[in-house]
Short mmCIF file of all heavy atoms in Angstrom, two decimals:
data_model
loop_
_atom_site.label_atom_id
_atom_site.label_comp_id
_atom_site.label_asym_id
_atom_site.label_seq_id
_atom_site.Cartn_x
_atom_site.Cartn_y
_atom_site.Cartn_z
N ILE A 1 88.51 2.91 -36.62
CA ILE A 1 90.01 2.58 -36.93
C ILE A 1 90.35 3.28 -38.14
O ILE A 1 91.30 3.99 -38.24
CB ILE A 1 90.26 1.13 -36.87
CG1 ILE A 1 90.05 0.60 -35.51
CG2 ILE A 1 91.63 0.85 -37.38
CD1 ILE A 1 90.17 -0.94 -35.43
N ALA A 2 89.51 3.10 -39.18
CA ALA A 2 89.83 3.77 -40.50
C ALA A 2 89.79 5.32 -40.46
O ALA A 2 90.65 6.03 -41.00
CB ALA A 2 88.96 3.39 -41.56
N GLY A 3 88.95 5.82 -39.59
CA GLY A 3 88.80 7.34 -39.41
C GLY A 3 90.16 7.78 -38.69
O GLY A 3 90.65 8.82 -39.09
N TYR A 4 90.61 7.05 -37.77
CA TYR A 4 91.81 7.50 -37.00
C TYR A 4 93.03 7.40 -37.88
O TYR A 4 93.89 8.32 -37.96
CB TYR A 4 92.09 6.53 -35.90
CG TYR A 4 93.59 6.61 -35.21
CD1 TYR A 4 93.75 7.77 -34.57
CD2 TYR A 4 94.34 5.58 -35.35
CE1 TYR A 4 95.08 7.97 -33.82
CE2 TYR A 4 95.75 5.69 -34.67
CZ TYR A 4 95.95 6.83 -34.04
OH TYR A 4 97.26 6.88 -33.51
N ALA A 5 92.93 6.34 -38.80
CA ALA A 5 94.17 6.13 -39.82
C ALA A 5 94.24 7.26 -40.80
O ALA A 5 95.39 7.61 -41.18
CB ALA A 5 94.15 4.74 -40.40
N ILE A 6 93.09 7.69 -41.33
CA ILE A 6 93.14 8.56 -42.39
C ILE A 6 93.01 10.05 -41.98
O ILE A 6 92.93 10.97 -42.83
CB ILE A 6 92.27 8.22 -43.61
CG1 ILE A 6 90.73 8.45 -43.03
CG2 ILE A 6 92.42 6.78 -44.03
CD1 ILE A 6 89.70 8.52 -44.16
N GLY A 7 92.61 10.25 -40.71
CA GLY A 7 92.40 11.60 -40.25
C GLY A 7 90.90 12.15 -40.58
O GLY A 7 90.74 13.36 -40.86
N ALA A 8 89.86 11.27 -40.44
CA ALA A 8 88.43 11.57 -40.70
C ALA A 8 87.84 11.69 -39.26
O ALA A 8 88.07 10.94 -38.39
CB ALA A 8 87.86 10.58 -41.47
N SER A 9 86.84 12.52 -39.18
CA SER A 9 86.04 12.53 -38.06
C SER A 9 84.55 12.23 -38.28
O SER A 9 83.74 12.20 -37.29
CB SER A 9 86.12 13.90 -37.41
OG SER A 9 85.50 14.95 -38.36
N GLN A 10 84.18 11.87 -39.48
CA GLN A 10 82.80 11.44 -39.74
C GLN A 10 82.70 10.28 -40.71
O GLN A 10 83.50 10.13 -41.58
CB GLN A 10 82.08 12.61 -40.45
CG GLN A 10 80.68 12.36 -40.69
CD GLN A 10 79.69 12.20 -39.46
OE1 GLN A 10 79.70 12.89 -38.45
NE2 GLN A 10 79.00 11.03 -39.51
N GLY A 11 81.79 9.36 -40.39
CA GLY A 11 81.56 8.24 -41.12
C GLY A 11 80.09 8.03 -41.49
O GLY A 11 79.30 8.56 -40.75
N TYR A 12 79.80 7.36 -42.65
CA TYR A 12 78.53 7.05 -43.02
C TYR A 12 78.31 5.62 -43.35
O TYR A 12 79.23 5.12 -44.08
CB TYR A 12 78.04 7.88 -44.22
CG TYR A 12 77.84 9.45 -43.88
CD1 TYR A 12 79.00 10.30 -44.02
CD2 TYR A 12 76.74 9.94 -43.43
CE1 TYR A 12 78.93 11.62 -43.77
CE2 TYR A 12 76.55 11.21 -43.08
CZ TYR A 12 77.69 12.05 -43.24
OH TYR A 12 77.52 13.37 -42.93
N ILE A 13 77.25 4.99 -42.95
CA ILE A 13 76.90 3.62 -43.54
C ILE A 13 75.73 3.75 -44.47
O ILE A 13 74.66 4.20 -43.93
CB ILE A 13 76.65 2.61 -42.39
CG1 ILE A 13 77.77 2.58 -41.39
CG2 ILE A 13 76.36 1.27 -42.88
CD1 ILE A 13 77.54 1.69 -40.13
N TYR A 14 75.88 3.33 -45.68
CA TYR A 14 74.72 3.38 -46.62
C TYR A 14 74.22 1.95 -46.75
O TYR A 14 74.97 1.05 -47.34
CB TYR A 14 75.31 4.01 -47.94
CG TYR A 14 74.29 4.17 -48.94
CD1 TYR A 14 73.55 5.37 -48.97
CD2 TYR A 14 73.83 3.27 -49.92
CE1 TYR A 14 72.65 5.72 -49.95
CE2 TYR A 14 72.83 3.51 -50.93
CZ TYR A 14 72.29 4.72 -50.97
OH TYR A 14 71.41 5.00 -51.87
N VAL A 15 73.11 1.78 -46.24
CA VAL A 15 72.54 0.47 -46.18
C VAL A 15 71.05 0.38 -46.84
O VAL A 15 70.38 1.32 -46.90
CB VAL A 15 72.36 -0.01 -44.68
CG1 VAL A 15 71.42 0.88 -43.81
CG2 VAL A 15 72.01 -1.52 -44.54
N ARG A 16 70.72 -0.75 -47.42
CA ARG A 16 69.57 -1.04 -47.99
C ARG A 16 68.42 -0.89 -47.15
O ARG A 16 68.38 -1.55 -46.10
CB ARG A 16 69.53 -2.39 -48.72
CG ARG A 16 70.54 -2.58 -49.80
CD ARG A 16 70.40 -3.94 -50.31
NE ARG A 16 69.19 -4.32 -50.89
CZ ARG A 16 68.96 -5.47 -51.58
NH1 ARG A 16 69.83 -6.35 -51.66
NH2 ARG A 16 67.71 -5.75 -52.04
N ALA A 17 67.44 -0.08 -47.47
CA ALA A 17 66.19 -0.05 -46.60
C ALA A 17 65.51 -1.42 -46.57
O ALA A 17 64.67 -1.64 -45.59
CB ALA A 17 65.23 1.03 -47.19
N GLU A 18 65.72 -2.23 -47.56
CA GLU A 18 65.17 -3.59 -47.50
C GLU A 18 65.67 -4.49 -46.52
O GLU A 18 65.34 -5.69 -46.41
CB GLU A 18 65.26 -4.28 -48.83
CG GLU A 18 64.70 -3.54 -50.15
CD GLU A 18 65.75 -2.65 -50.76
OE1 GLU A 18 66.67 -2.09 -50.04
OE2 GLU A 18 65.57 -2.46 -52.03
N TYR A 19 66.71 -4.03 -45.75
CA TYR A 19 67.29 -4.86 -44.54
C TYR A 19 66.75 -4.28 -43.22
O TYR A 19 67.59 -3.69 -42.52
CB TYR A 19 68.76 -4.85 -44.76
CG TYR A 19 69.46 -5.60 -45.72
CD1 TYR A 19 70.76 -5.46 -46.00
CD2 TYR A 19 68.65 -6.53 -46.59
CE1 TYR A 19 71.46 -6.24 -47.04
CE2 TYR A 19 69.30 -7.20 -47.48
CZ TYR A 19 70.67 -7.05 -47.72
OH TYR A 19 71.26 -7.87 -48.78
N PRO A 20 65.47 -4.46 -42.90
CA PRO A 20 64.93 -3.74 -41.59
C PRO A 20 65.64 -4.19 -40.48
O PRO A 20 65.83 -3.41 -39.49
CB PRO A 20 63.38 -4.16 -41.62
CG PRO A 20 63.44 -5.32 -42.57
CD PRO A 20 64.39 -5.11 -43.66
N ILE A 21 65.97 -5.50 -40.31
CA ILE A 21 66.60 -6.00 -39.01
C ILE A 21 68.17 -5.32 -38.92
O ILE A 21 68.45 -4.92 -37.83
CB ILE A 21 66.64 -7.56 -39.02
CG1 ILE A 21 65.25 -8.10 -38.95
CG2 ILE A 21 67.40 -8.00 -37.77
CD1 ILE A 21 65.13 -9.62 -39.06
N ALA A 22 68.86 -5.44 -40.01
CA ALA A 22 70.06 -4.86 -40.03
C ALA A 22 70.04 -3.22 -39.67
O ALA A 22 70.93 -2.90 -38.98
CB ALA A 22 70.81 -5.10 -41.40
N VAL A 23 69.15 -2.57 -40.25
CA VAL A 23 69.03 -1.18 -40.03
C VAL A 23 68.74 -0.94 -38.51
O VAL A 23 69.34 -0.17 -37.90
CB VAL A 23 67.99 -0.53 -40.97
CG1 VAL A 23 67.57 0.83 -40.47
CG2 VAL A 23 68.32 -0.62 -42.43
N GLU A 24 67.86 -1.73 -38.02
CA GLU A 24 67.39 -1.59 -36.48
C GLU A 24 68.71 -1.89 -35.60
O GLU A 24 68.91 -1.17 -34.69
CB GLU A 24 66.37 -2.45 -36.21
CG GLU A 24 65.79 -2.30 -34.73
CD GLU A 24 65.33 -0.94 -34.37
OE1 GLU A 24 65.02 -0.09 -35.23
OE2 GLU A 24 65.31 -0.58 -33.17
N ARG A 25 69.43 -2.84 -36.09
CA ARG A 25 70.54 -3.21 -35.17
C ARG A 25 71.68 -2.28 -35.35
O ARG A 25 72.33 -1.84 -34.28
CB ARG A 25 70.99 -4.70 -35.49
CG ARG A 25 70.07 -5.77 -35.03
CD ARG A 25 70.60 -7.15 -34.99
NE ARG A 25 69.75 -7.91 -34.26
CZ ARG A 25 69.83 -9.21 -34.03
NH1 ARG A 25 70.86 -9.85 -34.68
NH2 ARG A 25 69.01 -9.93 -33.26
N LEU A 26 71.85 -1.66 -36.40
CA LEU A 26 72.79 -0.56 -36.54
C LEU A 26 72.45 0.69 -35.71
O LEU A 26 73.24 1.26 -35.12
CB LEU A 26 72.96 -0.29 -38.08
CG LEU A 26 73.86 -1.18 -38.94
CD1 LEU A 26 73.74 -0.81 -40.44
CD2 LEU A 26 75.34 -0.97 -38.45
N ARG A 27 71.13 0.89 -35.82
CA ARG A 27 70.70 2.15 -34.94
C ARG A 27 70.99 1.89 -33.50
O ARG A 27 71.35 2.79 -32.80
CB ARG A 27 69.24 2.35 -35.19
CG ARG A 27 69.01 3.07 -36.68
CD ARG A 27 67.57 3.21 -36.97
NE ARG A 27 67.27 4.06 -38.15
CZ ARG A 27 66.18 3.96 -38.89
NH1 ARG A 27 65.36 3.11 -38.50
NH2 ARG A 27 66.14 4.75 -39.96
N ILE A 28 70.66 0.61 -33.06
CA ILE A 28 70.83 0.36 -31.67
C ILE A 28 72.37 0.39 -31.24
O ILE A 28 72.91 1.10 -30.29
CB ILE A 28 70.38 -1.03 -31.29
CG1 ILE A 28 68.80 -1.05 -31.30
CG2 ILE A 28 70.85 -1.56 -29.95
CD1 ILE A 28 68.21 -2.41 -31.18
N ALA A 29 73.26 -0.14 -32.18
CA ALA A 29 74.61 -0.25 -31.99
C ALA A 29 75.29 1.22 -32.12
O ALA A 29 76.09 1.58 -31.17
CB ALA A 29 75.29 -1.10 -33.09
N ILE A 30 74.89 2.05 -32.87
CA ILE A 30 75.40 3.45 -32.97
C ILE A 30 75.01 4.12 -31.65
O ILE A 30 75.91 4.99 -31.09
CB ILE A 30 74.98 4.17 -34.25
CG1 ILE A 30 75.62 3.61 -35.31
CG2 ILE A 30 75.22 5.72 -34.18
CD1 ILE A 30 75.03 3.98 -36.78
N GLY A 31 73.81 3.90 -31.19
CA GLY A 31 73.33 4.66 -30.02
C GLY A 31 74.13 4.19 -28.75
O GLY A 31 74.52 5.05 -27.89
N GLN A 32 74.34 2.85 -28.71
CA GLN A 32 75.16 2.30 -27.54
C GLN A 32 76.53 2.89 -27.60
O GLN A 32 77.11 3.31 -26.49
CB GLN A 32 75.21 0.91 -27.57
CG GLN A 32 73.80 0.15 -27.33
CD GLN A 32 73.77 -1.30 -27.65
OE1 GLN A 32 74.66 -1.76 -28.45
NE2 GLN A 32 72.89 -2.05 -27.04
N ALA A 33 77.20 2.86 -28.80
CA ALA A 33 78.54 3.27 -28.90
C ALA A 33 78.70 4.75 -28.53
O ALA A 33 79.73 5.17 -27.83
CB ALA A 33 79.01 3.10 -30.43
N ARG A 34 77.69 5.52 -28.86
CA ARG A 34 77.80 7.05 -28.47
C ARG A 34 77.47 7.09 -27.05
O ARG A 34 78.34 7.89 -26.37
CB ARG A 34 76.64 7.79 -29.23
CG ARG A 34 76.91 8.02 -30.68
CD ARG A 34 75.65 8.49 -31.32
NE ARG A 34 75.89 8.96 -32.74
CZ ARG A 34 74.95 9.20 -33.71
NH1 ARG A 34 73.76 9.11 -33.29
NH2 ARG A 34 75.30 9.35 -34.93
N GLU A 35 76.69 6.30 -26.36
CA GLU A 35 76.43 6.34 -25.04
C GLU A 35 77.66 5.97 -24.16
O GLU A 35 77.94 6.64 -23.10
CB GLU A 35 75.23 5.39 -24.64
CG GLU A 35 74.97 5.56 -23.10
CD GLU A 35 73.84 4.53 -22.78
OE1 GLU A 35 73.30 3.89 -23.74
OE2 GLU A 35 73.63 4.31 -21.55
N TYR A 36 78.49 5.03 -24.73
CA TYR A 36 79.65 4.55 -24.02
C TYR A 36 80.80 5.42 -24.35
O TYR A 36 81.93 5.25 -23.76
CB TYR A 36 79.93 3.09 -24.39
CG TYR A 36 79.16 2.11 -23.59
CD1 TYR A 36 77.72 2.09 -23.58
CD2 TYR A 36 79.88 1.15 -23.03
CE1 TYR A 36 77.11 1.17 -22.75
CE2 TYR A 36 79.12 0.13 -22.21
CZ TYR A 36 77.81 0.21 -22.16
OH TYR A 36 77.13 -0.88 -21.44
N GLY A 37 80.77 6.44 -25.20
CA GLY A 37 81.75 7.21 -25.54
C GLY A 37 82.77 6.58 -26.58
O GLY A 37 83.87 7.03 -26.70
N LEU A 38 82.38 5.63 -27.37
CA LEU A 38 83.13 4.92 -28.38
C LEU A 38 82.91 5.41 -29.71
O LEU A 38 83.63 5.17 -30.65
CB LEU A 38 82.71 3.41 -28.27
CG LEU A 38 83.02 2.65 -26.96
CD1 LEU A 38 82.35 1.36 -27.02
CD2 LEU A 38 84.55 2.53 -26.87
N LEU A 39 81.88 6.34 -29.76
CA LEU A 39 81.70 7.25 -30.91
C LEU A 39 81.47 8.60 -30.40
O LEU A 39 80.94 8.77 -29.26
CB LEU A 39 80.60 6.82 -31.82
CG LEU A 39 80.77 5.47 -32.62
CD1 LEU A 39 79.40 5.22 -33.32
CD2 LEU A 39 81.80 5.63 -33.59
N GLY A 40 81.92 9.65 -31.18
CA GLY A 40 81.63 10.98 -30.76
C GLY A 40 82.91 11.60 -30.36
O GLY A 40 83.95 11.46 -31.08
N LYS A 41 82.85 12.56 -29.41
CA LYS A 41 84.08 13.50 -29.05
C LYS A 41 85.09 12.77 -28.21
O LYS A 41 84.65 12.04 -27.20
CB LYS A 41 83.51 14.75 -28.61
CG LYS A 41 82.72 15.50 -29.44
CD LYS A 41 83.54 16.26 -30.55
CE LYS A 41 82.57 17.24 -31.36
NZ LYS A 41 83.30 17.74 -32.53
N ASN A 42 86.31 12.93 -28.44
CA ASN A 42 87.33 12.64 -27.39
C ASN A 42 87.26 11.15 -26.98
O ASN A 42 87.23 10.81 -25.93
CB ASN A 42 87.31 13.55 -26.24
CG ASN A 42 88.60 13.49 -25.43
OD1 ASN A 42 89.69 13.19 -25.85
ND2 ASN A 42 88.43 13.82 -24.09
N ILE A 43 87.27 10.26 -28.07
CA ILE A 43 87.17 8.85 -27.69
C ILE A 43 88.37 8.32 -26.91
O ILE A 43 89.63 8.69 -27.33
CB ILE A 43 87.13 8.10 -29.01
CG1 ILE A 43 85.68 8.52 -29.80
CG2 ILE A 43 87.01 6.49 -28.76
CD1 ILE A 43 85.63 7.95 -31.33
N PHE A 44 88.05 7.57 -25.86
CA PHE A 44 89.17 7.18 -24.96
C PHE A 44 90.10 8.24 -24.29
O PHE A 44 91.21 7.99 -24.10
CB PHE A 44 90.06 6.11 -25.57
CG PHE A 44 89.42 4.77 -25.85
CD1 PHE A 44 89.90 3.88 -26.97
CD2 PHE A 44 88.31 4.26 -25.25
CE1 PHE A 44 89.30 2.74 -27.22
CE2 PHE A 44 87.74 3.13 -25.52
CZ PHE A 44 88.17 2.38 -26.50
N ASP A 45 89.48 9.44 -24.28
CA ASP A 45 90.24 10.58 -23.78
C ASP A 45 91.63 10.74 -24.64
O ASP A 45 92.58 11.29 -24.04
CB ASP A 45 90.52 10.44 -22.24
CG ASP A 45 89.33 10.59 -21.41
OD1 ASP A 45 88.48 11.30 -21.80
OD2 ASP A 45 89.29 9.89 -20.45
N THR A 46 91.52 10.52 -25.90
CA THR A 46 92.73 10.63 -26.71
C THR A 46 92.65 12.00 -27.61
O THR A 46 93.69 12.20 -28.20
CB THR A 46 92.92 9.40 -27.64
OG1 THR A 46 91.79 9.30 -28.53
CG2 THR A 46 93.04 8.15 -26.93
N GLY A 47 91.54 12.65 -27.53
CA GLY A 47 91.34 13.74 -28.41
C GLY A 47 90.86 13.49 -29.88
O GLY A 47 90.76 14.28 -30.70
#
């Protein structure tokens, strides 16, 4: 949502390596979002 609002196409999450469960769940979530087309190119066919 923030990317859409400010005109950005790339985001980064900077997370502590001491949070292994959080890191793993973020990796899973990012992979799922890409697979569903919720991250990446042409989200919701809106360009």
Side-chain angles (χ1 to χ4, degrees):
I1 292 170
Y4 171 69
I6 68 164
S9 60
Q10 181 64 49
Y12 291 91
I13 301 177
Y14 188 87
V15 62
R16 296 175 61 174
E18 300 95 327
Y19 285 174
I21 297 175
V23 170
E24 179 62 20
R25 289 195 165 174
L26 279 171
R27 284 178 172 150
I28 291 171
I30 290 172
Q32 291 172 337
R34 286 172 178 165
E35 181 183 352
Y36 276 53
L38 298 167
L39 288 177
K41 298 289 186 182
N42 196 24
I43 297 172
F44 291 157
D45 291 327
T46 60

